[in-house]
C-alpha cells in the first residue's frame, strides 16, 4: 500500500466502505460505475466509464487487496472501495517465450502458474502464486502453446463454482 494511504488510514480509521462504484472486467480494465451506470443495470451488462488515466489505474493497482472474506477492494485513502468482478480478481497476460510462457497480472506482477482450468464457455483460468485469475482473451494463442507443450493441463471447471473453490466474491455487498 502507498504511504499516503497508510497515513490516511491512521488519521481517519472509521470511514464507511463504498460498494458498487468500481469494477474490473475480464480483460483487466477498471470501470467507474456512477449512479447513472448503476441505475442502468448490473455489471458487466452495463460497465460504466472505463478508467483511462494511467496514474489513477496505477494507484488503484498498487492498493488493490482482498479482505478475509475474499472481497476485493481498492484502498482509497481511508476508504475501502469494493470491486465488482466480471470473472476473477486477477487477469493474466500470457506471452510465449520458448521454452515457457511468461505470465503477468493485469497489475504487471509476474506470477508462476500452479494449475490450469477451462470453463464451459472455453475460458482459460490459472491459479498462481498470486491467486486465481482468467487468461486475457487476446493471449489465448500463447496460452494454447503452453497447453500444447504439456506445460499446462486444463481441468474442467464450472464458472459458477470458481468463486467458492478459489475464495473470492464477484459482487461484494455491504456486510459481506
Amino acid at each position: 500500500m502507498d504511504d499516503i494511504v497508510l497515513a490516511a488510514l491512521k488519521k481517519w480509521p472509521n470511514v464507511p466502505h463504498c460498494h458498487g462504484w468500481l469494477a474490473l472486467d475480464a480483460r483487466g480494465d477498471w470501470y467507474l460505475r456512477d449512479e447513472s451506470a448503476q441505475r442502468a443495470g448490473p455489471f458487466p451488462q452495463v460497465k460504466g466509464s472505463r478508467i483511462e488515466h494511467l496514474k489513477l489505474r496505477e494507484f488503484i493497482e498498487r492498493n488493490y487487496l482482498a479482505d478475509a472474506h475474499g472481497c476485493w477492494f481498492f484502498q482509497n485513502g481511508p476508504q475501502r472501495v469494493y470491486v465488482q468482478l466480471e470473472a476473477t480478481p486477477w487477469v493474466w497476460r500470457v506471452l510465449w517465450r520458448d521454452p515457457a510462457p511468461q505470465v503477468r497480472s493485469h497489475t504487471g506482477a509476474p506470477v508462476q502458474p500452479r494449475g490450469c482450468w477451462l470453463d464451459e464457455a472455453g475460458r482459460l483460468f490459472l491459479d498462481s502464486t498470486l491467486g486465481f485469475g482468467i487468461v486475457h482473451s487476446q493471449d489465448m494463442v500463447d496460452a494454447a502453446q503452453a497447453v500444447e507443450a504439456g506445460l499446462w493441463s486444463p481441468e474442467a471447471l464450472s464458472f459458477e463454482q470458481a468463486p467458492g473453490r478459489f475464495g473470492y466474491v464477484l459482487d461484494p455487498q455491504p456486510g459481506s
Side-chain angles (χ1 to χ4, degrees):
M1 240 187 281
D2 287 0
D3 289 339
I4 192 169
V5 172
L6 294 170
L9 281 167
K10 287 179 186 173
K11 189 172 183 178
W12 300 289
N14 297 314
V15 174
H17 302 321
C18 180
H19 292 81
W21 286 81
L22 184 64
L24 178 70
D25 76 0
R27 296 174 65 97
D29 290 324
W30 298 99
Y31 287 87
L32 288 176
R33 293 187 33 80
D34 62 14
E35 288 182 40
S36 64
Q38 291 178 40
R39 278 193 307 271
F43 182 79
Q45 288 79 16
V46 177
K47 288 191 173 184
S49 301
R50 185 171 166 216
I51 298 174
E52 301 284 343
H53 192 276
L54 178 62
K55 295 296 182 190
L56 177 55
R57 286 194 329 254
E58 290 172 346
F59 182 63
I60 291 170
E61 292 167 356
R62 283 193 312 272
N63 297 285
Y64 179 56
L65 307 160
D67 67 16
H69 306 288
C71 297
W72 286 81
F73 62 91
F74 153 54
Q75 189 70 50
N76 183 25
Q79 184 176 54
R80 282 187 179 182
V81 179
Y82 280 93
V83 179
Q84 293 175 295
L85 306 171
E86 180 176 358
T88 60
W90 298 105
V91 178
W92 307 127
R93 299 307 313 249
V94 179
L95 179 62
W96 180 260
R97 290 286 189 240
D98 200 17
Q102 294 178 350
V103 183
R104 292 191 174 275
S105 72
H106 66 279
T107 65
V111 299
Q112 293 298 314
R114 299 185 295 210
C116 183
W117 289 267
L118 196 64
D119 78 357
E120 60 276 4
R123 296 177 294 186
L124 190 66
F125 300 83
L126 300 173
D127 188 26
S128 77
T129 51
L130 193 57
F132 186 74
I134 189 168
V135 172
H136 193 289
S137 59
Q138 289 182 326
D139 297 345
M140 288 300 290
V141 171
D142 286 344
Q145 286 184 280
V147 172
E148 290 172 359
L151 300 172
W152 299 344
S153 299
E155 299 175 41
L157 174 71
S158 165
F159 179 73
E160 186 176 292
Q161 294 174 343
R165 180 172 179 179
F166 293 97
Y168 63 95
V169 176
L170 289 172
D171 188 9
Q173 297 297 311
S176 61

